[in-house]
Amino acid sequence: MSVPSVLSFTQQGWEQVLAKAKRAVVYLDAACAESLHWGCGYPRLLEVVGGPACHLREFERDAVGGGAEQPKAVFVLSCLLKGRTVETLRDIVRRSHFQYCVVVTAVSHAVHLTANHVPAAAAAELEGQQPVFEQLEEKLCEWMGNMNYTAEVLHVPLLLAPAAPHLALTPAFATLFPLLPQDVHLLNSARQDKRKLGSLGEVDATALTPELLLQIRCLVSGLSSLCEHLGVREECFAVGSLSRIIAADMASYAPAKNRRKTATGRASVVFVDRTLDLTGAVGHHGDNLVEKIISVLPQLPGHTNDVMVNMVELTALQAEDDNQNVLASGCLAQSNDPAARALWEALLNTKHKEAVMEVRRHLVEAASRENLPIKMSMGRVTPGQLTSYIQLFKNNLKALVNHCGILQLGLATVQTLKHPQSAKWDNFLAFERLLLQSIGESTMAVLLNQLLPMIKPSTQRTNDDYSPEELLILLIFIYSVTGDFTVDKDLEEAEEKVKKTLAQAICEESQLSPLLQKITGCDSAINLTFPQSKLAVDELFASLQDIAGARNLMKQFKSVYVPGTHTHQATYKPLLKQVVEEIFNPERPDPIDIEHMSSGITDLLKTGFSMFMKVSRPHPSDHPLLILFVVGGVTVSEAKMVKDLVASLKPGSQVMVLSTRLLKPLNIPELLFATDRLHPDLGF
């Protein structure tokens, strides 16, 4: 039997779904589709369904219903069965001819009780019963038109999209992002009769909106199921204000009590707020091919962690934009192809240069196995060379089918290397390095004045110049890496100049990107006025100042900037690196900023006694498994860094990096300026 992992957890969940899906019409929402995509792939589901691809449908209000020859339906949903979700279910079932409906939800029945305001004491008495699911089963029979038809509602924890053995994402929580100081003002406005919160450090679960609290509980429910699958009792730790709330909720999660009593293994779960270090998320220092692929290729529709790979190179079609919609896109996830999955994992774990050589090696081996007339060439790998290898498969259907996964990854590599944004990556990197050297010697005002000449309207920009969105990425880098600073007259003047120039540049854009539409609140460049643009940029800079002050509440992890010396240049030291080094510090000091969350009276007594007796307090390095959960997204380079660091600091330890999503630089401004951070859409 294989060792429990993020992949076996996901596959076990999907096996339960597949057991119900034989000869059914299957409706999936986006988050569950993404879990399937990375966990076991659509071919596995199609094989079980035993029908054409049209038997798989997106779960939406206008989805096609089931015809007379389609009596069975399976709905696979990542969300709570409430409100709009139940209304959509009702509408689809009513216009269909179903006689057997199965609804699978990734959210446990215990969380459904919480969502329906059932008190904890009453919920505890219902152990083993599932009244919410039973009520929906009755409704489904009613909507099918015959109470003798069959309806089943069950919970399967389809939480993860496993990208690698050490890395998994949670697509249903892709928009979950830590709070910023400005959010405290919004929370205070809803606390009219209560004491006002002074800072993020005072925010606890009682201060959050009901929707955000419920979203956290849904995540905790899924993570608890993961721990059950891994057979571990977890100790919860947190770095950051939202992480503290999530860790506390997981530590005190009542349905996990019995599981923890019988668990034979132990694990430390450490939650970390992304906002404490946005430098790593927007920076271009990660020397990783996958990071570049994710950043420059278009996002796969409906997905948060995969991209579209143009497959026209393998067809007789002309390589024109019009033809891109004729073909199904390729992608990065290759869950059904062992050779392609091995290449994918190699790309995740090697530097850019080695990764490109690895792509060449896999293409050469695949061509050799198919006896294709390959011309070997050593030395530097070029996009043209890789393309020539890929085109050998073009008119050989058998070879193409046998190696489709490797060809998709090969084409993703070629398209990334040839993309104009790849050349710009080096420009970003050069400017970021220059900034790092300037920080120790210059004031914030000087840094902003260096940026000023780079802000140009669209009519004056060349391909090497920065768009407003790219300038925003550089500003986030500057404010995050610098940290808290003193505001003086020079800084106020420098900020004002940058604000006016940036607001004017945004005003002169011929088209507003979705991000600029979100920031300005205007959907058309024609309707955007300078006062509107300036107001939006003022708010943007208020967020930048929040980013700079994000580590103010930290005592130990106050900086990610290491000043230069006579022998070494100034560098950026990732917060995740500092956290992992502190966890595995051989001297095992009591962590200062890594807070332990007690799971009950025993832990509280331990913590209390440790103040005056020799009782060891829980430490995140106590256990053989470390689960590091980054709230707000993680980059490929960061996940690799954590894996490598744990292997060097404590050989034999196992680490899993979990996060809400894989990040590219542009994701950060999108998440920062999301208007629904405190009020997430939970589908009801």
Side-chain angles (χ1 to χ4, degrees), residues 99 224 384 468 470:
Q99 298 172 27
S224 179
E470 291 168 336

Side-chain angles (χ1 to χ4, degrees), residues 39-101:
C40 53
Y42 295 103
R44 181 84 179 87
L45 180 55
L46 283 171
E47 183 187 310
V48 170
V49 168
C54 61
H55 284 189
L56 300 189
R57 295 172 188 171
E58 186 178 354
F59 179 75
E60 57 183 358
R61 180 151 284 183
D62 299 327
V64 177
E69 72 292 350
Q70 295 169 320
K72 183 180 177 184
V74 176
F75 297 86
V76 191
L77 309 174
S78 61
C79 53
L80 285 155
L81 304 176
K82 262 179 81 73
R84 286 199 322 274
T85 301
V86 171
E87 288 166 14
T88 302
L89 260 175
R90 177 198 64 201
D91 293 348
I92 295 171
V93 172
R94 276 182 174 171
R95 63 170 170 267
S96 302
H97 294 79
F98 300 138
Q99 298 172 27
Y100 182 4
C101 275

Side-chain angles (χ1 to χ4, degrees), residues 452 455-457 468 471 475 495-509 512 516 519-520 525 528-541:
L452 196 56
I455 307 173
K456 297 177 183 177
L471 288 163
L475 282 165
E495 274 195 348
E496 196 54 36
K497 281 182 196 169
V498 171
K499 285 180 191 177
K500 283 181 178 173
T501 313
L502 185 57
Q504 190 60 48
I506 292 171
C507 260
E508 293 181 27
E509 289 292 291
L512 295 180
L516 292 181
I519 290 170
T520 59
L528 182 62
T529 64
F530 178 77
Q532 275 179 296
S533 182
K534 178 63 168 62
L535 187 64
V537 171
D538 285 343
E539 289 175 5
L540 190 154
F541 268 77

Side-chain angles (χ1 to χ4, degrees), residues 537-554:
V537 171
D538 285 343
E539 289 175 5
L540 190 154
F541 268 77
S543 296
L544 290 172
Q545 282 155 7
D546 278 356
I547 290 164
R551 292 184 294 275
N552 283 357
L553 295 171
M554 297 284 106

Side-chain angles (χ1 to χ4, degrees), residues 369-409:
R369 275 198 291 275
E370 299 295 336
N371 296 317
L372 298 174
I374 194 157
K375 288 180 184 175
M376 284 299 296
S377 55
M378 303 306 291
R380 187 167 165 268
V381 185
T382 65
Q385 184 189 98
L386 295 179
T387 302
S388 70
Y389 295 159
I390 289 166
Q391 286 182 335
L392 292 172
F393 294 81
K394 190 170 180 175
N395 298 313
N396 188 326
L397 183 61
K398 177 175 169 285
L400 209 153
V401 170
N402 287 345
H403 306 284
C404 192
I406 283 172
L407 293 171
Q408 288 175 66
L409 294 173

